[in-house]
Amino acid sequence: QKMKISNSVFLYNAKLSEKVFFHIQDNSFDLGCRNEPAIVRITGNLNLANAPILEDQIVDLLSKEYGENEVEQPRIIILDLNCVSHIDPSACQMLVKNHKQFARKGQHLCYVGMRGNVWRRMTDMKVFSVIPKEKCYPTLQDALAYQSKRHHEL
């Protein structure tokens, strides 16, 4: 039996270190809880000052919403970087580290909405040698549509 679930979206403001939870009503999927993508929207600049705590903040947000048990955690986490206007080399390194850390736990990170300057910095820092470009989508809707299609193919 499948249940109708709306995607959870979290907002992490890198500048203010604020965490706010809100819900998107119009994106629904027939997925089980663990297969429901979690969406983490990051705003502000990612830099040396806040990059080291990014993984902890994401883990904290997911634990509060889904529970601390790994079985309850979502397999797919979509990082919405649409509101990130700048990323420095240290933050690029942290994204690569976070990508590997989540993969070790059986969770897959996807990335959406990277602006031109963020994409260029990530390219210059060779981020895409670790994070496949296939995990990057122009919009949140593209990522959700792909994840939904992929789930139905399995």
Side-chain angles (χ1 to χ4, degrees), residues 19-49:
K19 295 169 276 181
V20 181
F21 170 77
F22 61 99
H23 222 69
I24 290 183
Q25 299 296 334
D26 56 345
N27 290 321
S28 296
F29 294 93
D30 292 324
L31 302 175
C33 288
R34 182 152 162 74
N35 292 323
E36 174 193 1
I39 303 164
V40 179
R41 181 169 295 145
I42 301 171
T43 65
N45 297 328
L46 288 177
N47 53 45
L48 179 63

PDB file of all heavy atoms in Angstrom, residues 19-49:
ATOM      1  N   LYS A  19      17.640  27.852  11.390  1.00  0.00           N
ATOM      2  CA  LYS A  19      17.013  26.698  10.786  1.00  0.00           C
ATOM      3  C   LYS A  19      15.511  26.881  10.872  1.00  0.00           C
ATOM      4  O   LYS A  19      14.981  27.132  11.938  1.00  0.00           O
ATOM      5  CB  LYS A  19      17.418  25.416  11.504  1.00  0.00           C
ATOM      6  CG  LYS A  19      18.899  25.112  11.357  1.00  0.00           C
ATOM      7  CD  LYS A  19      19.306  24.021  12.283  1.00  0.00           C
ATOM      8  CE  LYS A  19      19.572  24.654  13.624  1.00  0.00           C
ATOM      9  NZ  LYS A  19      20.003  23.750  14.643  1.00  0.00           N
ATOM     10  N   VAL A  20      14.838  26.807   9.749  1.00  0.00           N
ATOM     11  CA  VAL A  20      13.399  26.974   9.715  1.00  0.00           C
ATOM     12  C   VAL A  20      12.822  25.830   8.900  1.00  0.00           C
ATOM     13  O   VAL A  20      13.316  25.519   7.829  1.00  0.00           O
ATOM     14  CB  VAL A  20      13.011  28.318   9.059  1.00  0.00           C
ATOM     15  CG1 VAL A  20      11.505  28.483   9.048  1.00  0.00           C
ATOM     16  CG2 VAL A  20      13.680  29.480   9.781  1.00  0.00           C
ATOM     17  N   PHE A  21      11.775  25.183   9.407  1.00  0.00           N
ATOM     18  CA  PHE A  21      11.123  24.099   8.679  1.00  0.00           C
ATOM     19  C   PHE A  21       9.864  24.633   8.020  1.00  0.00           C
ATOM     20  O   PHE A  21       9.118  25.385   8.622  1.00  0.00           O
ATOM     21  CB  PHE A  21      10.748  22.977   9.643  1.00  0.00           C
ATOM     22  CG  PHE A  21       9.879  21.941   9.025  1.00  0.00           C
ATOM     23  CD1 PHE A  21      10.410  20.989   8.182  1.00  0.00           C
ATOM     24  CD2 PHE A  21       8.517  21.933   9.266  1.00  0.00           C
ATOM     25  CE1 PHE A  21       9.601  20.047   7.599  1.00  0.00           C
ATOM     26  CE2 PHE A  21       7.707  20.988   8.681  1.00  0.00           C
ATOM     27  CZ  PHE A  21       8.250  20.035   7.848  1.00  0.00           C
ATOM     28  N   PHE A  22       9.657  24.270   6.764  1.00  0.00           N
ATOM     29  CA  PHE A  22       8.388  24.557   6.127  1.00  0.00           C
ATOM     30  C   PHE A  22       8.076  23.456   5.132  1.00  0.00           C
ATOM     31  O   PHE A  22       8.903  22.602   4.873  1.00  0.00           O
ATOM     32  CB  PHE A  22       8.351  25.946   5.484  1.00  0.00           C
ATOM     33  CG  PHE A  22       9.356  26.158   4.398  1.00  0.00           C
ATOM     34  CD1 PHE A  22       8.989  26.035   3.075  1.00  0.00           C
ATOM     35  CD2 PHE A  22      10.664  26.517   4.695  1.00  0.00           C
ATOM     36  CE1 PHE A  22       9.904  26.244   2.066  1.00  0.00           C
ATOM     37  CE2 PHE A  22      11.582  26.721   3.691  1.00  0.00           C
ATOM     38  CZ  PHE A  22      11.206  26.593   2.370  1.00  0.00           C
ATOM     39  N   HIS A  23       6.873  23.450   4.607  1.00  0.00           N
ATOM     40  CA  HIS A  23       6.372  22.344   3.799  1.00  0.00           C
ATOM     41  C   HIS A  23       5.968  22.829   2.419  1.00  0.00           C
ATOM     42  O   HIS A  23       5.425  23.905   2.290  1.00  0.00           O
ATOM     43  CB  HIS A  23       5.135  21.765   4.498  1.00  0.00           C
ATOM     44  CG  HIS A  23       5.091  20.294   4.502  1.00  0.00           C
ATOM     45  ND1 HIS A  23       5.951  19.528   5.233  1.00  0.00           N
ATOM     46  CD2 HIS A  23       4.282  19.435   3.844  1.00  0.00           C
ATOM     47  CE1 HIS A  23       5.660  18.261   5.053  1.00  0.00           C
ATOM     48  NE2 HIS A  23       4.655  18.171   4.210  1.00  0.00           N
ATOM     49  N   ILE A  24       6.258  22.042   1.396  1.00  0.00           N
ATOM     50  CA  ILE A  24       5.759  22.322   0.058  1.00  0.00           C
ATOM     51  C   ILE A  24       4.535  21.454  -0.149  1.00  0.00           C
ATOM     52  O   ILE A  24       4.609  20.243  -0.059  1.00  0.00           O
ATOM     53  CB  ILE A  24       6.816  22.009  -1.017  1.00  0.00           C
ATOM     54  CG1 ILE A  24       7.939  23.021  -0.943  1.00  0.00           C
ATOM     55  CG2 ILE A  24       6.195  22.021  -2.409  1.00  0.00           C
ATOM     56  CD1 ILE A  24       8.984  22.845  -2.008  1.00  0.00           C
ATOM     57  N   GLN A  25       3.420  22.063  -0.441  1.00  0.00           N
ATOM     58  CA  GLN A  25       2.166  21.328  -0.572  1.00  0.00           C
ATOM     59  C   GLN A  25       1.973  20.722  -1.960  1.00  0.00           C
ATOM     60  O   GLN A  25       1.293  19.742  -2.111  1.00  0.00           O
ATOM     61  CB  GLN A  25       0.981  22.254  -0.282  1.00  0.00           C
ATOM     62  CG  GLN A  25       0.997  22.812   1.119  1.00  0.00           C
ATOM     63  CD  GLN A  25       0.854  21.753   2.195  1.00  0.00           C
ATOM     64  OE1 GLN A  25       0.287  20.702   1.975  1.00  0.00           O
ATOM     65  NE2 GLN A  25       1.402  22.028   3.365  1.00  0.00           N
ATOM     66  N   ASP A  26       2.579  21.321  -2.989  1.00  0.00           N
ATOM     67  CA  ASP A  26       2.237  20.916  -4.344  1.00  0.00           C
ATOM     68  C   ASP A  26       3.130  19.830  -4.934  1.00  0.00           C
ATOM     69  O   ASP A  26       2.937  19.448  -6.076  1.00  0.00           O
ATOM     70  CB  ASP A  26       2.226  22.129  -5.273  1.00  0.00           C
ATOM     71  CG  ASP A  26       3.537  22.877  -5.260  1.00  0.00           C
ATOM     72  OD1 ASP A  26       4.329  22.626  -4.342  1.00  0.00           O
ATOM     73  OD2 ASP A  26       3.764  23.697  -6.144  1.00  0.00           O
ATOM     74  N   ASN A  27       4.103  19.333  -4.213  1.00  0.00           N
ATOM     75  CA  ASN A  27       4.965  18.261  -4.705  1.00  0.00           C
ATOM     76  C   ASN A  27       4.676  16.990  -3.930  1.00  0.00           C
ATOM     77  O   ASN A  27       5.206  16.770  -2.861  1.00  0.00           O
ATOM     78  CB  ASN A  27       6.443  18.626  -4.537  1.00  0.00           C
ATOM     79  CG  ASN A  27       6.861  19.734  -5.470  1.00  0.00           C
ATOM     80  OD1 ASN A  27       6.437  19.771  -6.610  1.00  0.00           O
ATOM     81  ND2 ASN A  27       7.660  20.646  -4.980  1.00  0.00           N
ATOM     82  N   SER A  28       3.829  16.136  -4.471  1.00  0.00           N
ATOM     83  CA  SER A  28       3.461  14.906  -3.784  1.00  0.00           C
ATOM     84  C   SER A  28       3.884  13.705  -4.608  1.00  0.00           C
ATOM     85  O   SER A  28       3.859  13.732  -5.829  1.00  0.00           O
ATOM     86  CB  SER A  28       1.951  14.845  -3.554  1.00  0.00           C
ATOM     87  OG  SER A  28       1.559  15.887  -2.702  1.00  0.00           O
ATOM     88  N   PHE A  29       4.279  12.655  -3.919  1.00  0.00           N
ATOM     89  CA  PHE A  29       4.729  11.425  -4.561  1.00  0.00           C
ATOM     90  C   PHE A  29       4.114  10.244  -3.853  1.00  0.00           C
ATOM     91  O   PHE A  29       3.825  10.300  -2.665  1.00  0.00           O
ATOM     92  CB  PHE A  29       6.258  11.290  -4.468  1.00  0.00           C
ATOM     93  CG  PHE A  29       6.980  12.338  -5.241  1.00  0.00           C
ATOM     94  CD1 PHE A  29       7.370  13.507  -4.634  1.00  0.00           C
ATOM     95  CD2 PHE A  29       7.242  12.156  -6.577  1.00  0.00           C
ATOM     96  CE1 PHE A  29       8.032  14.481  -5.351  1.00  0.00           C
ATOM     97  CE2 PHE A  29       7.900  13.128  -7.299  1.00  0.00           C
ATOM     98  CZ  PHE A  29       8.298  14.294  -6.687  1.00  0.00           C
ATOM     99  N   ASP A  30       3.951   9.161  -4.561  1.00  0.00           N
ATOM    100  CA  ASP A  30       3.534   7.904  -3.943  1.00  0.00           C
ATOM    101  C   ASP A  30       4.801   7.136  -3.588  1.00  0.00           C
ATOM    102  O   ASP A  30       5.237   6.258  -4.323  1.00  0.00           O
ATOM    103  CB  ASP A  30       2.674   7.081  -4.914  1.00  0.00           C
ATOM    104  CG  ASP A  30       1.344   7.743  -5.153  1.00  0.00           C
ATOM    105  OD1 ASP A  30       0.818   8.335  -4.206  1.00  0.00           O
ATOM    106  OD2 ASP A  30       0.842   7.650  -6.278  1.00  0.00           O
ATOM    107  N   LEU A  31       5.401   7.488  -2.503  1.00  0.00           N
ATOM    108  CA  LEU A  31       6.658   6.874  -2.081  1.00  0.00           C
ATOM    109  C   LEU A  31       6.558   6.480  -0.619  1.00  0.00           C
ATOM    110  O   LEU A  31       5.808   7.069   0.137  1.00  0.00           O
ATOM    111  CB  LEU A  31       7.827   7.868  -2.218  1.00  0.00           C
ATOM    112  CG  LEU A  31       8.097   8.460  -3.600  1.00  0.00           C
ATOM    113  CD1 LEU A  31       9.188   9.502  -3.488  1.00  0.00           C
ATOM    114  CD2 LEU A  31       8.503   7.384  -4.576  1.00  0.00           C
ATOM    115  N   GLY A  32       7.360   5.516  -0.218  1.00  0.00           N
ATOM    116  CA  GLY A  32       7.480   5.195   1.198  1.00  0.00           C
ATOM    117  C   GLY A  32       8.309   6.268   1.877  1.00  0.00           C
ATOM    118  O   GLY A  32       9.027   7.009   1.229  1.00  0.00           O
ATOM    119  N   CYS A  33       8.256   6.365   3.191  1.00  0.00           N
ATOM    120  CA  CYS A  33       8.942   7.433   3.927  1.00  0.00           C
ATOM    121  C   CYS A  33      10.437   7.493   3.621  1.00  0.00           C
ATOM    122  O   CYS A  33      10.981   8.554   3.409  1.00  0.00           O
ATOM    123  CB  CYS A  33       8.731   7.263   5.427  1.00  0.00           C
ATOM    124  SG  CYS A  33       7.054   7.648   5.939  1.00  0.00           S
ATOM    125  N   ARG A  34      11.102   6.341   3.630  1.00  0.00           N
ATOM    126  CA  ARG A  34      12.545   6.339   3.397  1.00  0.00           C
ATOM    127  C   ARG A  34      12.877   6.749   1.972  1.00  0.00           C
ATOM    128  O   ARG A  34      13.953   7.250   1.702  1.00  0.00           O
ATOM    129  CB  ARG A  34      13.114   4.948   3.698  1.00  0.00           C
ATOM    130  CG  ARG A  34      14.613   4.873   3.523  1.00  0.00           C
ATOM    131  CD  ARG A  34      15.215   3.819   4.413  1.00  0.00           C
ATOM    132  NE  ARG A  34      16.533   3.422   4.004  1.00  0.00           N
ATOM    133  CZ  ARG A  34      17.625   4.129   4.157  1.00  0.00           C
ATOM    134  NH1 ARG A  34      17.554   5.318   4.724  1.00  0.00           N
ATOM    135  NH2 ARG A  34      18.804   3.673   3.784  1.00  0.00           N
ATOM    136  N   ASN A  35      11.951   6.563   1.050  1.00  0.00           N
ATOM    137  CA  ASN A  35      12.193   6.932  -0.337  1.00  0.00           C
ATOM    138  C   ASN A  35      11.787   8.365  -0.653  1.00  0.00           C
ATOM    139  O   ASN A  35      12.024   8.840  -1.744  1.00  0.00           O
ATOM    140  CB  ASN A  35      11.453   5.974  -1.271  1.00  0.00           C
ATOM    141  CG  ASN A  35      12.048   4.595  -1.211  1.00  0.00           C
ATOM    142  OD1 ASN A  35      13.254   4.434  -1.096  1.00  0.00           O
ATOM    143  ND2 ASN A  35      11.202   3.586  -1.264  1.00  0.00           N
ATOM    144  N   GLU A  36      11.156   9.026   0.299  1.00  0.00           N
ATOM    145  CA  GLU A  36      10.774  10.418   0.094  1.00  0.00           C
ATOM    146  C   GLU A  36      12.026  11.279   0.142  1.00  0.00           C
ATOM    147  O   GLU A  36      12.766  11.258   1.126  1.00  0.00           O
ATOM    148  CB  GLU A  36       9.812  10.858   1.202  1.00  0.00           C
ATOM    149  CG  GLU A  36       9.478  12.321   1.143  1.00  0.00           C
ATOM    150  CD  GLU A  36       8.790  12.805   2.403  1.00  0.00           C
ATOM    151  OE1 GLU A  36       8.580  12.010   3.326  1.00  0.00           O
ATOM    152  OE2 GLU A  36       8.490  14.001   2.468  1.00  0.00           O
ATOM    153  N   PRO A  37      12.303  12.056  -0.908  1.00  0.00           N
ATOM    154  CA  PRO A  37      13.490  12.921  -0.845  1.00  0.00           C
ATOM    155  C   PRO A  37      13.315  14.016   0.200  1.00  0.00           C
ATOM    156  O   PRO A  37      12.250  14.600   0.312  1.00  0.00           O
ATOM    157  CB  PRO A  37      13.569  13.532  -2.244  1.00  0.00           C
ATOM    158  CG  PRO A  37      12.643  12.758  -3.100  1.00  0.00           C
ATOM    159  CD  PRO A  37      11.628  12.136  -2.193  1.00  0.00           C
ATOM    160  N   ALA A  38      14.349  14.255   0.970  1.00  0.00           N
ATOM    161  CA  ALA A  38      14.380  15.405   1.871  1.00  0.00           C
ATOM    162  C   ALA A  38      15.027  16.543   1.105  1.00  0.00           C
ATOM    163  O   ALA A  38      16.000  16.337   0.385  1.00  0.00           O
ATOM    164  CB  ALA A  38      15.184  15.089   3.119  1.00  0.00           C
ATOM    165  N   ILE A  39      14.484  17.723   1.244  1.00  0.00           N
ATOM    166  CA  ILE A  39      15.006  18.882   0.529  1.00  0.00           C
ATOM    167  C   ILE A  39      15.557  19.859   1.563  1.00  0.00           C
ATOM    168  O   ILE A  39      14.855  20.261   2.481  1.00  0.00           O
ATOM    169  CB  ILE A  39      13.904  19.561  -0.305  1.00  0.00           C
ATOM    170  CG1 ILE A  39      13.296  18.550  -1.268  1.00  0.00           C
ATOM    171  CG2 ILE A  39      14.470  20.764  -1.054  1.00  0.00           C
ATOM    172  CD1 ILE A  39      11.978  18.999  -1.848  1.00  0.00           C
ATOM    173  N   VAL A  40      16.812  20.210   1.396  1.00  0.00           N
ATOM    174  CA  VAL A  40      17.451  21.168   2.290  1.00  0.00           C
ATOM    175  C   VAL A  40      17.819  22.391   1.457  1.00  0.00           C
ATOM    176  O   VAL A  40      18.640  22.298   0.552  1.00  0.00           O
ATOM    177  CB  VAL A  40      18.708  20.578   2.966  1.00  0.00           C
ATOM    178  CG1 VAL A  40      19.355  21.608   3.874  1.00  0.00           C
ATOM    179  CG2 VAL A  40      18.372  19.311   3.728  1.00  0.00           C
ATOM    180  N   ARG A  41      17.177  23.499   1.741  1.00  0.00           N
ATOM    181  CA  ARG A  41      17.463  24.741   1.021  1.00  0.00           C
ATOM    182  C   ARG A  41      18.469  25.537   1.831  1.00  0.00           C
ATOM    183  O   ARG A  41      18.256  25.821   3.012  1.00  0.00           O
ATOM    184  CB  ARG A  41      16.189  25.539   0.805  1.00  0.00           C
ATOM    185  CG  ARG A  41      16.436  26.836   0.044  1.00  0.00           C
ATOM    186  CD  ARG A  41      15.149  27.469  -0.399  1.00  0.00           C
ATOM    187  NE  ARG A  41      14.516  26.576  -1.364  1.00  0.00           N
ATOM    188  CZ  ARG A  41      13.188  26.406  -1.461  1.00  0.00           C
ATOM    189  NH1 ARG A  41      12.384  27.054  -0.671  1.00  0.00           N
ATOM    190  NH2 ARG A  41      12.692  25.596  -2.366  1.00  0.00           N
ATOM    191  N   ILE A  42      19.569  25.884   1.197  1.00  0.00           N
ATOM    192  CA  ILE A  42      20.634  26.641   1.864  1.00  0.00           C
ATOM    193  C   ILE A  42      20.639  28.051   1.302  1.00  0.00           C
ATOM    194  O   ILE A  42      20.599  28.232   0.085  1.00  0.00           O
ATOM    195  CB  ILE A  42      22.003  25.965   1.643  1.00  0.00           C
ATOM    196  CG1 ILE A  42      21.956  24.539   2.197  1.00  0.00           C
ATOM    197  CG2 ILE A  42      23.118  26.770   2.288  1.00  0.00           C
ATOM    198  CD1 ILE A  42      23.145  23.698   1.853  1.00  0.00           C
ATOM    199  N   THR A  43      20.675  29.036   2.166  1.00  0.00           N
ATOM    200  CA  THR A  43      20.715  30.425   1.724  1.00  0.00           C
ATOM    201  C   THR A  43      21.959  31.106   2.264  1.00  0.00           C
ATOM    202  O   THR A  43      22.514  30.693   3.279  1.00  0.00           O
ATOM    203  CB  THR A  43      19.471  31.211   2.196  1.00  0.00           C
ATOM    204  OG1 THR A  43      19.477  31.281   3.608  1.00  0.00           O
ATOM    205  CG2 THR A  43      18.191  30.569   1.705  1.00  0.00           C
ATOM    206  N   GLY A  44      22.392  32.146   1.583  1.00  0.00           N
ATOM    207  CA  GLY A  44      23.563  32.896   2.015  1.00  0.00           C
ATOM    208  C   GLY A  44      24.813  32.393   1.318  1.00  0.00           C
ATOM    209  O   GLY A  44      24.762  31.591   0.393  1.00  0.00           O
ATOM    210  N   ASN A  45      25.943  32.868   1.761  1.00  0.00           N
ATOM    211  CA  ASN A  45      27.227  32.462   1.209  1.00  0.00           C
ATOM    212  C   ASN A  45      27.758  31.257   1.966  1.00  0.00           C
ATOM    213  O   ASN A  45      27.618  31.173   3.183  1.00  0.00           O
ATOM    214  CB  ASN A  45      28.238  33.607   1.316  1.00  0.00           C
ATOM    215  CG  ASN A  45      27.822  34.808   0.496  1.00  0.00           C
ATOM    216  OD1 ASN A  45      27.200  34.668  -0.546  1.00  0.00           O
ATOM    217  ND2 ASN A  45      28.166  35.993   0.971  1.00  0.00           N
ATOM    218  N   LEU A  46      28.387  30.339   1.242  1.00  0.00           N
ATOM    219  CA  LEU A  46      29.077  29.220   1.890  1.00  0.00           C
ATOM    220  C   LEU A  46      30.566  29.531   1.852  1.00  0.00           C
ATOM    221  O   LEU A  46      31.138  29.727   0.777  1.00  0.00           O
ATOM    222  CB  LEU A  46      28.782  27.904   1.164  1.00  0.00           C
ATOM    223  CG  LEU A  46      27.375  27.349   1.346  1.00  0.00           C
ATOM    224  CD1 LEU A  46      27.184  26.093   0.517  1.00  0.00           C
ATOM    225  CD2 LEU A  46      27.101  27.059   2.815  1.00  0.00           C
ATOM    226  N   ASN A  47      31.169  29.571   3.042  1.00  0.00           N
ATOM    227  CA  ASN A  47      32.571  29.961   3.116  1.00  0.00           C
ATOM    228  C   ASN A  47      33.262  29.287   4.295  1.00  0.00           C
ATOM    229  O   ASN A  47      32.667  28.462   4.988  1.00  0.00           O
ATOM    230  CB  ASN A  47      32.680  31.484   3.209  1.00  0.00           C
ATOM    231  CG  ASN A  47      31.839  32.030   4.334  1.00  0.00           C
ATOM    232  OD1 ASN A  47      31.836  31.510   5.439  1.00  0.00           O
ATOM    233  ND2 ASN A  47      31.082  33.088   4.045  1.00  0.00           N
ATOM    234  N   LEU A  48      34.496  29.656   4.511  1.00  0.00           N
ATOM    235  CA  LEU A  48      35.320  29.074   5.568  1.00  0.00           C
ATOM    236  C   LEU A  48      34.655  29.154   6.938  1.00  0.00           C
ATOM    237  O   LEU A  48      34.770  28.247   7.755  1.00  0.00           O
ATOM    238  CB  LEU A  48      36.688  29.767   5.598  1.00  0.00           C
ATOM    239  CG  LEU A  48      37.677  29.310   6.660  1.00  0.00           C
ATOM    240  CD1 LEU A  48      38.051  27.843   6.431  1.00  0.00           C
ATOM    241  CD2 LEU A  48      38.920  30.175   6.641  1.00  0.00           C
ATOM    242  N   ALA A  49      33.909  30.221   7.173  1.00  0.00           N
ATOM    243  CA  ALA A  49      33.290  30.420   8.492  1.00  0.00           C
ATOM    244  C   ALA A  49      32.157  29.441   8.765  1.00  0.00           C
ATOM    245  O   ALA A  49      31.970  29.005   9.900  1.00  0.00           O
ATOM    246  CB  ALA A  49      32.782  31.857   8.614  1.00  0.00           C
TER     247      ALA A  49
END
